[in-house]
């Protein structure tokens, strides 16, 4: 349990905090930006989400720099990302800022890749995050932040940034999922033969 893995665990523990501030209506004030009103609890949730997302890059950087890359870290890091993203997507559906089918597509991909990783572990192989998988995570984070902030500040100029980046997230999510399965098809076929 090195520092990088502790940071990854901290990201997991921030997940319920993000959901708490997003879904529980704390009467602590609001901010109006143009025609959009954001509650302070939504803004706090967004900042906590961004902080949790930043720890993703930090734990990976520390692990590589200090040669602390472990199999536990390779497993926990993508799991922490999936928990954070899944919790945020479900919260956004509850808030009616995201279509349920989009959340289902993204979450289904995350479950499928987690299943693939579990199969690989059973075969003695650890599947680390790919560059395309990392890009997918970044785009998902940007989309979630834009949706949490209800498209502020882009709403002031009527630019549908949150909608565009959400569609981009769906496309990259599906492509990266197919990429994982294609690159690890030998693991899947080995399991099928047993």
């Amino acid at each position: 349990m090195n520092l990088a893995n502790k940071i990854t665990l901290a990201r997991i523990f921030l997940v319920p905090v993000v959901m708490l501030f997003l879904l529980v209506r704390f009467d602590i004030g609001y901010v109006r930006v143009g025609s959009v009103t954001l509650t302070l609890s939504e803004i706090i949730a967004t900042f906590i989400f961004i902080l949790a997302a930043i720890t993703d890059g930090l734990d990976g950087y520390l692990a590589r720099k200090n040669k602390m890359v472990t199999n536990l870290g390779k497993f926990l890091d993508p799991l922490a990302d999936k928990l954070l993203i899944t919790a945020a997507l479900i919260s956004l559906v509850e808030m009616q800022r995201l279509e349920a089918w989009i959340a289902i597509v993204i979450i289904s991909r995350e479950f499928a890749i987690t299943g693939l990783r579990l199969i690989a572990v059973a075969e003695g192989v650890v599947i680390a995050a790919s560059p395309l998988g990392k890009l997918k995570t970044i785009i998902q984070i940007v989309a979630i932040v834009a949706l949490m902030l209800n498209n502020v500040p882009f709403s002031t100029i009527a630019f549908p940034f949150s909608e565009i980046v959400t569609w981009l997230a769906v496309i990259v999510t599906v492509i990266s999922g197919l990429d994982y399965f294609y690159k690890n098809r030998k693991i899947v076929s080995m399991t099928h033969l047993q």
Side-chain angles (χ1 to χ4, degrees), residues 12-71:
I12 292 171
F13 290 125
L14 285 175
V15 170
V17 180
V18 171
M19 291 186 75
L20 178 71
F21 279 100
L22 269 183
L23 299 178
V24 177
R25 294 295 170 201
F26 295 107
D27 190 16
I28 54 176
Y30 63 92
V31 176
R32 192 162 182 80
V33 181
S35 61
V36 178
T37 302
L38 293 172
T39 66
L40 286 180
S41 60
E42 289 170 342
I43 294 169
I44 291 167
T46 305
F47 279 117
I48 295 169
F49 178 83
I50 291 168
L51 174 67
I54 288 170
T55 67
D56 180 28
L58 180 63
D59 60 10
Y61 170 76
L62 287 173
R64 287 185 299 275
K65 181 183 175 194
N66 300 319
K67 297 185 181 8
M68 296 187 297
V69 176
T70 63
N71 283 344

Side-chain angles (χ1 to χ4, degrees), residues 1-171:
M1 186 53 67
N2 57 40
L3 178 60
N5 290 344
K6 286 177 182 175
I7 291 171
T8 304
L9 281 175
R11 183 157 76 256
I12 292 171
F13 290 125
L14 285 175
V15 170
V17 180
V18 171
M19 291 186 75
L20 178 71
F21 279 100
L22 269 183
L23 299 178
V24 177
R25 294 295 170 201
F26 295 107
D27 190 16
I28 54 176
Y30 63 92
V31 176
R32 192 162 182 80
V33 181
S35 61
V36 178
T37 302
L38 293 172
T39 66
L40 286 180
S41 60
E42 289 170 342
I43 294 169
I44 291 167
T46 305
F47 279 117
I48 295 169
F49 178 83
I50 291 168
L51 174 67
I54 288 170
T55 67
D56 180 28
L58 180 63
D59 60 10
Y61 170 76
L62 287 173
R64 287 185 299 275
K65 181 183 175 194
N66 300 319
K67 297 185 181 8
M68 296 187 297
V69 176
T70 63
N71 283 344
L72 178 64
K74 286 179 184 177
F75 177 74
L76 277 182
D77 185 56
L79 179 64
D81 294 340
K82 285 169 179 46
L83 288 171
L84 183 65
I85 297 296
T86 300
L89 291 172
I90 292 169
S91 299
L92 288 165
V93 170
E94 172 70 19
M95 296 168 71
Q96 298 183 345
R97 292 191 187 167
L98 182 68
E99 296 283 338
W101 74 266
I102 292 175
I104 291 166
V105 167
I106 293 173
I107 292 168
S108 296
R109 181 266 186 209
E110 304 304 347
F111 275 114
I113 299 305
T114 299
L116 178 64
R117 281 197 168 99
L118 291 173
I119 292 168
V121 166
E123 298 294 328
V125 179
V126 176
I127 301 174
S130 71
L132 191 55
K134 290 176 181 177
L135 174 65
K136 175 267 315 176
T137 301
I138 291 168
I139 295 170
Q140 286 178 353
I141 289 167
V142 172
I144 288 168
V145 168
L147 291 166
M148 283 181 174
L149 293 176
N150 211 5
N151 202 39
V152 169
F154 300 99
S155 56
T156 59
I157 56 170
F159 180 69
F161 177 77
S162 62
E163 188 177 331
I164 292 167
V165 76
T166 299
W167 274 104
L168 184 60
V170 170
I171 292 165

